[in-house]
Amino acid sequence: MSDANGTAAGGAATGSGTSGSGATGSGATGGTGPGPSRSGTAVATPDREHGAAYGYSPKRTLPISVEIVRQFKRRRTLVMFGLLLALPWVLVIAFKVGGGWGRPGGSSLRISDLASDGGLNFAAFALSVSASFLLVVAVALFCGDTVASEADWSSLRYLLAAPIPRDRLLRQKLIVALGYSAAAVICLPLMALLAGTLAFGWNDVRVPGTGEVIPALDVLPRFGVVIGYALISQLVVAATAFLLSVSTDSPLGAVGGAVGLVIVSTILQAVEALGSLREFLPTFWNTAWLDALAPEPDFSGMIKGVSVSVTYAAILIAFAFRRFRGKDVVS
Amino acid sequence: MRLSGRRVTWIAVVTVLVIGVVTWLVWPSGPTVHAQEQTITVVDGPADDRRVPLDTSFFPPPGGGKAPAVLLAHGFGGSKQSVRDAAERLSQEGYAVLTWSARGFGRSGGQIALNSPDYEIKDVRQLVDWLAKRPEVRLDADGDPRVGIAGGSYGGAIALMAAAHDSRIDAIVPQITWYDLADALFPNATGQGPESGVFKRMWAGLFFSRGGPQAAGGLAALTGQGGAGGQGGSGGPAGPGGAETGEEAGDAQGGPAGQNGRSPAAIRPPTVEEVRCGRFLPQICDMYQEVAETGRATATAVETLRRSSPISVQGRIRIPTLLLQGQRDSLFPLNHADANAKAITATGAPVRVAWFDGGHDGGDGEVDWLHDQTRAWFDHYLKDAAAGNPATPATAPASPATGPAEVAGFTVTRDGGRDPGTRRPVQLHAVTGAYPGLSGTERTSVPLAGPEQPVANPPGGSPASISAIPGFGGLSTGSANLSLSVDMAGQSAAFESAPLTAPLQITGSSTVKVRVRIAETGAAPDADAGTAPDAGGGDAGDAEGTGNAGDTREDASGPRDVTLFAKLYDTAGGTQAPVLPEGLVSPVRITVPEGGAGEATVTLPAVDHRFEVGHRLRVAFTTTDLGYHTPVSSAVYQVSLATPALEAPTVTGLRAPSTGPAWWTWALPLASVIAAAVLIAVGRRRLRDDYDPALDATPLRIKGLTKAYRNGELAVNDLSFTVEPGQVLGLLGPNGAGKTTTMRMMMGLIHPDRGEIRIFGHRVVPGAPVLSRLGSFVEGAGFLPHLSGRANLELYWKATGRPAEDAHIEEALEIAGLGAALERAVRTYSQGMRQRLAIAQAMLGLPDLLVLDEPTNGLDPPQIREMRAVLIRYAARGRTVIVSSHLLAEVEQTCSHVVVMHRGRLITAGPVSELLRSRTSGNGVSTRLEDVFLDLIGENA
C-alpha cells in the first residue's frame, strides 16, 4: 500500500506541475483547460501501477487499430494489394486476347487449359499460378517488414520506450501482419472468382486431368477449404519472415530471406533422392489443396501440410518472441 | 557472456555441418559390383546335339565368400542388359547373380523355342551347373548350388518351368507370367478352354513380333514401353524386360555388320525366313502363323503352347514361390497367377501372391517394392534357410507359415491417392494372411437389371470397341480415373445394379450368368427392323428366328458360336464416364443351339476395385474388342441375363496398414506448440516491479551501471549518479564516452550487464511501466516516413494507449514550430524539422523526466535559443530534464547540473556553478565550462 500511496502523491505533485508548465511552456490558451481536470483525476484515481504515468496501462498500448492504420498507408501495402486485385483482371484480359487459340488436345487437361471454363475454374487457376510465388512474396512482405521497418525508421525505440512491452508489441504486430497476409491471400482468389464469373460465367467446375464436372455449388465450400489451406500453408513463410524481421534491421533482408528460404525448400523438394524426408520440407505440401478440387476430395495431404506448417510456424514464432525479448535494441 | 554465447552458436552450427558432411562422406555406400561377361556354351535340343553360345554376365557377391546365387531372367524381347540394374542391386545385397540372354535374344545364339523343355530349360540346367562350379556360390551339395530364379513375363515362365525340371532350384519369384500360354492367347471366360477361346490377336502379334525381325526397330521400342516396369523402362525383374538397345539387337541378328545402318555397304538384306519368322524356331513360327490366320487354336497349337507352360508340369514345382502378378495386365491377367498358386500350393510348397500396380498394360510398376519383396523372399529361403535343399520333397514343406515377415500371404496394391509434393499417385499395400483365390473369402450377390438387348456384330469386326490397347499401356498410366474404354453404339448390352448403399470392394473374379440368342437379321429390313428389337424376350422373336434362319446366313443352320466380351464397369452417374477397372475384359465364346438360347457362366476379369457408395455396377457385353479376333460376318444377338445378379467376391481380411494420418501429423504440431510455449514461458522476465519507496521523488538514480560492447570493451563502466527533481542535467563527454548507451539503458532498450537504473524509485527494465513518465529523444528522430508529422504524433500517442487529453499535443507542436509542414509526409522534412518534431514527440504527455540526446543538433541559432528557454521552463515546475550535448557553451547556459563521462566512467558530477568554481579556484582565470571539461578529460586521458 505504501507503494500506491507514494506514487499517488508523486503523481499529484507532478500533475500540478503539469498544468502550470502547460501554460508557460507554450503560452497556449488551451493549456489551462486540461490542468484542473487532470489534477483532479490524478488525485481521485490512485490506480497508476508501478509508477506509471496517469492513464497508462500495458494492456492498452499499441491497439490493433492503430497498428493497422500505421501499416495501411504505406506505399508497399497499397501496391501489393493493388497488384493482387489487378492480377485476375490481367489474366482475364490475357485469356480473352488469347482466347482464339484452341485448347491442346490429349487426355490430360491442365488446370490452365480449363481456366476460361468458368469463374470457379478461373479462380482455381489464379490461385495455382500465384500461390507458389506471388502470395509468398506478399506474405513475406507483410510479416517480414513489420518489425524490421520500424527498426529501420528508428521508430522502434520510441515505441519500446513509450513503453510498449516487447511481447505485446510483437504480438500486436504479428496479429496485424497475419491479418494483412490473410487479406492478401483471400483477396486474390475472391477477386479472381468475381473476375472469372463476370468474364466466363458461373459454370460448374471441370477437374484438371480427367475433365470431369462437379456442380458449382458442391465446390463452393471446398473452395473455402482451399483458401483456408492456402492461408495455413503460408504460415511457415509468415513465421520465417517474422523471425527474420525481429533479427535484422533491414526490411529487405527479412523479406528476401523468407522468400529465399522458400526457394531453397522448393529446390530441395525436387530432389527425389531425399525420399520421405521431403515431406517435412515447409513447401512440400503447398499444392495439396488441388486434392480438394478432385471429384473425390482427399484431405490427407492437406492435413499433413497443415501439420508441417503449424509445426514450423509455432517454433519460429516462439523463437521470434524469445529473441526479441532479450535483444538490445540499438537501431 | 553475449560474446561467448554467440561464439558457441557458431561453433555448434559449424560442428553440425562438419559432422553432417563427414557422415555423408564416410556413409557406407553400396559395395561396387563388377560384372564378369562371358559366353557359356550350352548343349540342348531334343537330342542334346545343339551347341548354343549364351551371352551371360556374372555378378559375384561383392563381399567375397560364398553366397547364394540368383538367376535373373529377362522378358520377351529383352536381353541380359534389361535386368542389369536389378542384378547389380541384388548382387550388392550379397548374392551371386547370373544374368543371361536367352537363346534367340540379344547376343546369344540359337532360336526362340518359347521356354521349351528341350531348349531353354536345358539351357538353364546348364547355367545351374556352371554356377555350381563357381567358387563364389554356396553349395547345398556337390553340384547343387543354393540358387533362386527371378524374372518377369517370359523370364517368369522360365523360372517356373526350370523349377519344375531342375530340383536344384531352391526358390523362385516369377512375375507377370503365364500359367497356360494357350489360355493366355485364346482365353474363354466360360471356362471351356483355349480350343474354343477367342484369339487375343493384338497381344499375340506383339508378342511374336518381339522375337521377330523388327526387334531392333520402332515397334520393339513401342512394345517395350507397354511392358511392366513402367517408369523404370528396363525395369529389372519387374518387367518382361524392356526392349533392348537397338544396337545390340542388330549386332546379334544381322551378323558382324549389324542391321542398323551404321555401315551401309555391309548391309545384308534379311532372308525370307528371317522376315517371316525372325528368330523363332520354325515349328513355333509355323504354329503362330496358322493360328493367327484362322483365329482359332488348333489342338497342336494348344499342345505346343502348353509344353511351354507351367500347366504341363503341374505338381512338379515344389519350392517356395512368390508370385507377383500385375493388376494391369490384359496379356497375362491375374487368373494365371491364381492358377500357378493353386498348382504349387497343392504340392505343399509355400506360396505367396501379390497383385501389384503394373503388368503388361503399364501402371506404376512398383520397381522398388517388387525388389524388396523379391529380396525378402530370397533372403529367407536362400540366405537364411538351413542347409539342405528345401526342394527335395521330404523336406519341402519347410513350414509355409514361417515365411519372410515382409512378404504377406496375399498383398494387393491399392490406390493411395496422390503424393501432394510430386502429384504422383501413391500406392498402399493391403495385406492378408492367406491367398484366398479369385473367388474371395466371401461372395456378395449384387442384383443387376436390364432387359434383353440386341447387339450387333459389325461386318468385318470394325469398328471395334476398345478396352485396353496392348503395347500402349503407358498411355493410361498416371490416372486411375482415365479410361480408354469405348463401347461402340449398338454393339453393347448393359445391365446395371442399383446405386450402392455401401461401398463394395471387389477382389477377384465376379461371375454372371448370361443368355444369348441369335436375333434375326432378315433380308427384308423393313419387316424385321421394327419387330426384332421390340420382340424383347418374347416368343415372337424366337419364332421368327427359327423361320428365317436358313436363307440369310451361311452357317446359320446348326449351333452357332457367339463371341462376346464381358466387362464390369464402375459407373458414377452424372457426367463422369464409366470406369472399366484396369481396362480388362473377359472374352467368351458361347455356343448357341439353333433356335435356342446359349447360356454360360461368365467369369469377369479378376480385379481389385472399390465401388463407392452411389456408384453402380454395370456388366456390359460387347460384340467386338480391338485386341481380339472377332467374327467378320455381321450378326445380331439378343443378350440377357440368365440370373439377374452378379456374384462379387470380396476379401474382408485385406487391410492396408494404418490408412489413418501418419502419427506425426498430430504429434509434430503438438510437440512444436509445447516447445514453443516452453520457449516463450521460460526466461520470461516477470514484470515484477522492483520499487524503492525512498527514491520515489528522485527522477533518476544510476548505480554501478556497466555495459560491455560485443567486443568486450566497456561502454559504460560502473557509472553512478543521481538526478534530483527540477534539475536540468547536462550529460557531457567526448564521443564514445557512453552517453548514448546510458540513455538507451534508461529507456530500457539495452540490458545492462551490471548495476541498475531507477526512475522515481522503480527499476528500469524493458517495458517497465514507469517508462511512461519518461520522454525521450535519443540518436535522431524515428518517424513513419509515409505519414504526416501530425499523424505521426497522434498515432504515437495512441500507441501509448493513454488518454488523448493527456497528450497536450498542441503544446508539443507549438514547440516543434513546424507550421503548415505538419501536414506533409515526414519523408519530405529536413533534418532540423525532424529534430524538432522528435523533441515534440518526447514532450508528449509532458513527462516528468525528459531525456534529450543532442537536442540542438541541426537547429539554427534562434531555434537553439528558443529550445534553451523551453528546457529551462520545462524544468522550472519540478520536472527534470537530462540533456547530452557537445556544445559546452550551450550546456553552461542551460543546465543547472552536469555529469561528465569519459570512456564509460564518471569523471565528475555536480552543479555547474560549483564545478566552475572549483576549477577557477585553482588558477583563478578559467571560468568556461569548456576549459574545465577539457581539463577533466585531459587529466584522465
Side-chain angles (χ1 to χ4, degrees), chain B residues 402-531:
Chain B
T402 61
E406 301 91 324
V407 185
F410 179 43
T411 310
V412 177
T413 299
R414 285 177 177 165
D415 180 21
R418 259 160 201 277
D419 179 300
T422 56
R423 313 304 308 161
R424 290 237 190 95
V426 289
Q427 285 83 33
L428 285 179
H429 294 108
V431 296
T432 185
Y435 176 62
L438 292 181
S439 45
T441 52
E442 280 165 37
R443 293 185 81 80
T444 313
S445 188
V446 182
L448 295 176
E452 186 176 61
Q453 295 156 51
V455 293
N457 183 46
S462 180
S465 302
I466 299 168
S467 52
I469 304 179
F472 288 88
L475 288 185
S476 61
T477 27
S479 172
N481 289 330
L482 186 66
S483 182
L484 285 173
S485 62
V486 177
D487 285 355
M488 291 299 160
Q491 300 180 20
S492 169
F495 306 92
E496 271 195 4
S497 73
L500 293 175
T501 51
L504 175 65
Q505 177 93 43
I506 292 185
T507 306
S509 283
S510 314
T511 55
V512 67
K513 231 176 158 188
V514 68
R515 175 188 291 141
V516 184
R517 295 186 301 114
I518 311 289
E520 196 39 59
T521 56
D526 51 320
D528 288 339
T531 48

Side-chain angles (χ1 to χ4, degrees), chain A residues 165-167 321-328, chain B residues 2 679-689 707 748-753 763-768:
Chain A
R166 291 191 178 190
D167 282 358
F321 273 84
R322 208 183 154 81
R323 194 179 170 86
F324 191 63
R325 195 184 287 154
K327 193 184 177 188
D328 281 346
Chain B
R2 190 152 302 276
L679 269 178
I680 291 183
V682 170
R684 174 171 206 157
R685 274 168 235 254
R686 280 262 149 257
L687 228 115
R688 193 165 41 82
D689 192 19
K707 175 75 183 178
L749 298 177
I750 298 182
H751 303 269
D753 291 340
R763 188 172 175 171
V764 172
V765 293

Side-chain angles (χ1 to χ4, degrees), chain B residues 723-911:
Chain B
V723 184
E724 298 298 335
Q727 290 185 354
V728 177
L729 179 87
L731 194 55
L732 299 184
N735 284 334
K739 304 188 297 286
T740 305
T741 307
T742 306
M743 288 182 156
R744 284 180 173 279
M745 285 190 275
M746 283 182 214
M747 292 162 73
L749 298 177
I750 298 182
H751 303 269
D753 291 340
R754 275 196 304 280
E756 58 167 37
I757 301 173
R758 283 181 187 273
I759 296 179
F760 298 111
H762 298 270
R763 188 172 175 171
V764 172
V765 293
V770 75
L771 288 173
S772 57
R773 291 165 71 186
L774 174 87
S776 52
F777 165 67
V778 174
E779 267 196 324
F783 294 112
L784 278 59
H786 54 283
L787 296 177
S788 70
R790 180 185 294 277
N792 257 299
L793 256 50
E794 281 170 356
L795 283 174
Y796 176 77
W797 188 255
K798 283 183 183 166
T800 66
R802 291 165 66 185
E805 68 267 17
D806 286 0
H808 303 279
I809 196 161
E810 292 308 326
E811 298 159 41
L813 289 175
E814 196 88 18
I815 292 163
L818 287 170
L822 262 184
E823 313 303 329
R824 289 203 330 244
V826 167
R827 75 166 79 85
T828 63
Y829 284 16
S830 69
Q831 160 80 18
M833 290 160 85
R834 284 180 204 204
Q835 180 99 357
R836 278 179 282 149
L837 189 65
I839 293 169
Q841 178 177 287
M843 291 182 173
L844 278 182
L846 304 171
D848 299 329
L849 175 60
L850 188 62
V851 178
L852 302 177
D853 184 19
E854 311 279 357
T856 51
N857 260 8
L859 302 189
D860 56 21
Q863 288 166 342
I864 290 175
R865 172 192 281 264
E866 195 186 327
M867 184 61 64
R868 190 190 306 149
V870 164
L871 295 182
I872 290 171
R873 274 204 307 272
Y874 196 84
R877 301 286 173 160
R879 277 183 294 226
T880 313
V881 178
I882 301 176
V883 178
S884 85
S885 183
H886 291 124
L887 299 172
L888 297 170
E890 195 46 54
V891 170
E892 194 177 346
Q893 293 179 54
T894 314
C895 301
S896 57
H897 293 69
V898 289
V899 166
V900 181
M901 288 177 71
H902 185 50
R903 293 190 180 164
R905 286 181 168 280
L906 179 78
I907 303 300
T908 185

